[in-house]
Amino acid sequence: MARAKNGTVHVARRKRILKKTKGFWGTKKSNYKKAKDTLRKGMMYATRDRKVRKRDFRRLWISRISAALSDTGITYSRFIEGLLKSNIKINRKILSNLAIEDVEAFKKIVLEIRR
């Protein structure tokens, strides 16, 4: 009787890795050894960058709010301090959208803070 060397599991594992690396450049998509290493590295980057994306968006919102405040004569830090003191609970994402899309509403918030 022939010795079974677990061939189907081996092939399935390789197939699963190579399927995930579809679209990678060069032999990183077809050479199992390189594909395995590249996929592991790519998954590490994906995990890290899910956190970085949140950080980048927060920076973007802050810079948009700061730009909208530049012509009102108030700094970003004073604006956030005023929001806390006036007990206005609007997050930076909404404030950023207001600064871009609804300038009048944003100016009303700034006037409320200045009182």
Side-chain angles (χ1 to χ4, degrees):
M1 190 168 157
R3 178 171 162 246
K5 297 192 316 192
N6 214 1
T8 54
V9 175
H10 177 72
V11 169
R13 185 182 309 123
R14 289 171 58 96
K15 199 172 183 181
R16 187 174 63 240
I17 297 287
L18 292 173
K19 188 175 181 183
K20 287 180 181 178
T21 58
K22 182 180 176 186
F24 285 11
W25 192 84
T27 58
K28 292 177 180 181
K29 67 175 164 248
S30 55
N31 184 333
Y32 175 70
K33 196 171 186 180
K34 288 184 181 181
K36 186 174 58 169
D37 293 340
T38 308
L39 181 66
R40 186 177 30 127
K41 188 86 166 186
M43 294 304 226
M44 285 168 42
Y45 284 140
T47 304
R48 181 198 67 188
D49 290 341
R50 278 194 297 276
K51 302 287 183 189
V52 172
R53 185 188 320 133
K54 293 167 183 64
R55 193 182 317 156
D56 288 344
F57 269 109
R58 185 180 169 100
R59 284 177 60 197
L60 174 67
W61 297 329
I62 289 172
S63 63
R64 284 179 177 174
I65 294 167
S66 184
L69 289 170
S70 63
D71 46 328
T72 62
I74 187 170
T75 63
Y76 172 78
S77 60
R78 295 290 176 210
F79 177 70
I80 295 298
E81 179 189 22
L83 282 175
L84 293 172
K85 284 183 179 176
S86 359
N87 206 19
I88 300 173
K89 293 183 173 144
I90 302 176
N91 63 18
R92 287 163 179 80
K93 179 180 178 181
I94 301 299
L95 284 169
S96 171
N97 282 341
L98 281 175
I100 293 168
E101 296 169 3
D102 194 2
V103 180
E104 294 302 318
F106 187 76
K107 285 184 181 177
K108 284 181 185 176
I109 293 172
V110 173
L111 288 174
E112 185 68 33
I113 288 170
R114 284 198 166 169
R115 287 187 198 169

